[in-house]
Amino acid sequence: MEEIKEILWRQFGAVIDMLESSILVCPESFWDKKDFWYSAYHTIFWLDYYSSVKPDEFSPPQPFSLSEFDPKGILPERIYLKEELLEYLEHCRKKVFFLIEGLNEETSKERFITKKKNYNRIEMILYNMRHVQHHVGQLNLLLRQNVDTAGKWVSQTNKKY
């Protein structure tokens, strides 16, 4: 189990590093475009939620709300600052690290259950990682098409807590 935990963290941490890189390289002149800031926020919000042990008790940190759960797709009441999303991403990075660090034979079988999902913890970690990577690709495409830059590729993270 220890080797699996290390592999999961190195790869999931790398995806988080790539999301951070995409946010960092986004110029202020492009940040306020809905397609960028909102996609970054959406990715971080769901990263946080999908990393929850008890999804029915989930609440994002302030100043973020549960607007992502609104079935009408209502946007947050304002554009979040880059610094706010980077702080939220750091919160999530620690949450994911400790979620993976806490894996053992028992916790790996615990279920993430919602109306649409019923996964064991390891499958939920993989699902979450795939979701983040999907949006990192979108963000980098937006950056390339609009400002001729993109976040960096990260093979493995070297961050630990």
Side-chain angles (χ1 to χ4, degrees):
M1 182 62 77
E2 289 305 309
E3 184 178 19
I4 290 171
K5 288 167 35 175
E6 288 176 22
I7 291 166
L8 283 172
W9 171 245
R10 283 193 309 259
Q11 292 304 308
F12 205 148
V15 171
I16 295 169
D17 291 347
M18 291 174 70
L19 176 56
E20 178 183 44
S21 177
S22 297
I23 292 169
L24 287 170
V25 301
C26 180
E28 291 301 321
S29 61
F30 191 66
W31 180 257
D32 65 350
K33 305 300 182 250
K34 176 188 164 230
D35 288 345
F36 196 87
W37 78 266
Y38 176 71
S39 291
Y41 169 66
H42 164 90
T43 306
I44 297 168
F45 176 92
W46 291 101
L47 169 61
D48 189 13
Y49 176 67
Y50 291 150
S51 300
S52 299
V53 174
K54 297 179 181 179
D56 53 331
E57 296 176 15
F58 172 75
S59 182
Q62 289 295 320
F64 309 104
S65 70
L66 295 172
S67 64
E68 284 294 289
F69 290 153
D70 190 303
K72 296 176 195 150
I74 295 175
L75 293 174
E77 58 272 354
R78 66 179 175 86
I79 296 172
Y80 293 121
L81 301 175
K82 186 186 286 195
E83 294 75 22
E84 290 175 309
L85 291 188
L86 289 169
E87 285 178 24
Y88 192 10
L89 185 58
E90 185 61 23
H91 163 83
C92 293
R93 185 191 319 267
K94 289 177 185 173
K95 187 174 182 178
V96 170
F97 177 83
F98 289 112
L99 181 71
I100 293 171
E101 188 66 22
L103 287 174
N104 58 43
E105 291 298 323
E106 185 179 311
T107 60
S108 67
K109 294 174 185 159
E110 291 175 354
R111 310 298 293 182
F112 182 98
I113 300 173
T114 66
K115 290 178 185 173
K116 296 182 180 181
K117 293 179 179 45
N118 185 348
Y119 299 142
N120 73 32
R121 186 162 303 167
I122 292 176
E123 187 172 9
M124 196 63 216
I125 288 168
L126 293 173
Y127 178 92
N128 194 359
M129 182 170 39
R130 289 178 49 239
H131 180 256
V132 174
Q133 188 65 57
H134 166 77
H135 285 294
V136 168
Q138 288 179 327
L139 291 169
N140 282 333
L141 178 63
L142 286 169
L143 288 168
R144 274 283 172 232
Q145 289 177 331
N146 292 280
V147 292
D148 197 27
T149 192
K152 66 181 178 180
W153 173 261
V154 179
S155 296
Q156 297 179 333
T157 193
N158 59 8
K159 296 179 181 172
K160 288 196 175 190
Y161 295 94

